[in-house]
Amino acid sequence: MTTMKSNHAKTAGLFITLVLGLSAPLTVLGQTEKLGIVKYTPPPGSTKTAKENVVAFSELNQTTGKYCIITLYGATPGTGSPQGDFKREWNNLVVKTMKSEANPKTEVQKDGEWTAVSGGSEVDSSELGKAVGFLTVISGLRTTVSVLAVFNDPACATSADQLVGSIEMDKAAAPASDTATTTEPASNPASGAAAFDEGGDLIIPQPSRQLTTADLAGVWIDGPNRMTTEYVYSGSGKSAGRDTTAFAVKTTFKSDGTYSSFFNSVRKKYETESTTTTGPFSIDGRLLSIQGKGYSGNTTTTTKWVIRGWLELPSMTVLLLAGPWYDDAPIPEVNFTDYGPDSRFRGTTRWTRMK
């Protein structure tokens, strides 16, 4: 698939991706590259930052303050509707991270089995200030690929267009699109195909069997996540600014029951913190226990998670967890027993492992 175009690009989600990238920036040479099933040509003259299934390209003029950030998100399960895919990605990448329009106008372009939906609006954030955010979501074969650009330099629109226009999909590597699968009820994800609820959230069913340490073997990503604290003046109630911390956790589990976890956080773009923790882990029923150093560094703390969901997809495995609880803190029984309609609002997090 080629010639899918956009007019501008992305959001603060890109910025967080950049500051949390676990590999060192590299100068882009313009050669053709691959991200999973996606073949593309990087924007020339930009700086590349990559992490698992995500690659970002940035340009910054220190003199004028103009910048361009374009992020390519690799293949993930689609909703089955190109407009639904765009709505979900716009909400997750833009609305949840920046001030922006909730429902921007979109344009649709089709190329064979793939459909590109593009749209954008003005955006504003404490990290990037006022800018333009433009998103292109390419959907097909139950798969979604997104390109998001955030910029205050109009020239960035051309770079974003060129990157989107260069994209080609490896059809052989994409999930099959047979009739038996596409007609299966959306509420039943047991076949390995992605299913979504009415709000566009991925349905992650309860584990159908007892999971073991061998099932968790591999690299799991929790994040990138973002926490923002708003401050107000007690007298007037007016805004006194905000404090934002972005963080991600990369945990490698081994089948022998040991792990290594890398935590990386960025606060206000300048203050960074990185730590690595190792130790044993175990699974007892639906309870995942991970041992590591406590905040003091002198004691051992056991972090406990309740395994509430397990979903194996063609391109990834998703683990749904409730928690955490520490050491002997009591865990409410409902976390093991309640899977009703409102249980999704219980404190949970998702870890993903790419295949």
Side-chain angles (χ1 to χ4, degrees), residues 41-334:
T41 302
S46 59
T47 297
K48 172 184 174 183
T49 305
K51 60 178 296 183
E52 193 164 3
N53 207 38
V54 179
V55 60
F57 304 92
S58 61
E59 294 183 55
L60 172 63
N61 188 315
Q62 297 284 359
T63 301
T64 64
K66 291 184 177 181
Y67 64 84
C68 172
I69 305 171
I70 305 173
T71 304
L72 170 63
Y73 293 85
T76 58
T79 67
S81 163
Q83 289 290 350
D85 289 340
F86 180 88
K87 182 176 181 180
R88 183 190 66 188
E89 296 298 287
W90 179 264
N91 184 63
N92 290 336
L93 298 175
V94 184
V95 175
K96 289 184 178 180
T97 58
M98 307 180 76
K99 294 180 180 179
S100 65
E101 292 184 21
N103 298 293
K105 293 182 179 180
T106 59
E107 295 184 356
V108 179
Q109 183 179 6
K110 294 184 178 181
D111 185 355
E113 295 177 294
W114 300 93
T115 300
V117 180
S118 302
S121 73
E122 292 185 354
V123 296
D124 192 1
S125 73
S126 58
E127 294 92 350
L128 298 173
K130 293 184 178 181
V132 172
F134 199 89
L135 175 67
T136 297
V137 180
I138 304 173
S139 303
L141 303 178
R142 304 194 313 276
T143 300
T144 296
V145 172
S146 299
V147 178
L148 173 64
V150 173
F151 55 91
N152 62 4
D153 181 0
C156 185
T158 300
S159 297
D161 282 348
Q162 291 174 348
L163 187 149
V164 174
S166 72
I167 289 178
E168 297 182 10
M169 301 293 190
D170 184 355
K171 181 178 178 180
S177 181
D178 56 88
T179 304
T181 300
T182 56
T183 58
E184 183 176 342
S187 60
N188 180 18
S191 66
F196 300 84
D197 60 23
E198 294 180 354
D201 291 323
L202 181 67
I203 297 174
I204 307 174
Q206 301 178 49
S208 59
R209 59 180 175 80
Q210 174 62 53
L211 298 179
T212 67
T213 54
D215 287 314
L216 263 62
V219 179
W220 296 83
I221 301 296
D222 175 16
N225 302 292
R226 171 174 170 161
M227 296 186 301
T228 300
T229 302
E230 298 281 353
Y231 299 94
V232 297
Y233 292 104
S234 58
S236 64
K238 293 183 178 180
S239 175
R242 65 172 64 176
D243 190 4
T244 300
T245 300
F247 64 93
V249 182
K250 179 180 181 181
T251 302
T252 302
F253 290 108
K254 297 182 179 180
S255 57
D256 64 0
T258 62
Y259 78 98
S260 174
S261 183
F262 177 80
F263 171 84
N264 189 41
S265 70
V266 178
R267 180 173 177 266
K268 293 182 177 179
K269 297 192 294 184
Y270 307 109
E271 302 172 14
T272 63
E273 177 185 0
S274 298
T275 58
T276 299
T277 305
T278 60
F281 77 99
S282 62
I283 299 178
D284 182 9
R286 295 206 175 172
L287 188 65
L288 170 63
S289 300
I290 304 173
Q291 293 186 10
K293 294 293 185 180
Y295 288 110
S296 65
N298 299 319
T299 59
T300 299
T301 297
T302 300
T303 304
K304 298 178 180 179
W305 301 87
V306 177
I307 301 173
R308 290 184 54 84
W310 176 267
L311 178 61
E312 295 186 40
L313 297 169
S315 60
M316 70 177 70
T317 300
V318 184
L319 181 64
L320 182 66
L321 302 167
W325 292 269
Y326 299 97
D327 295 327
D328 296 326
I331 302 175
E333 186 66 18
V334 293

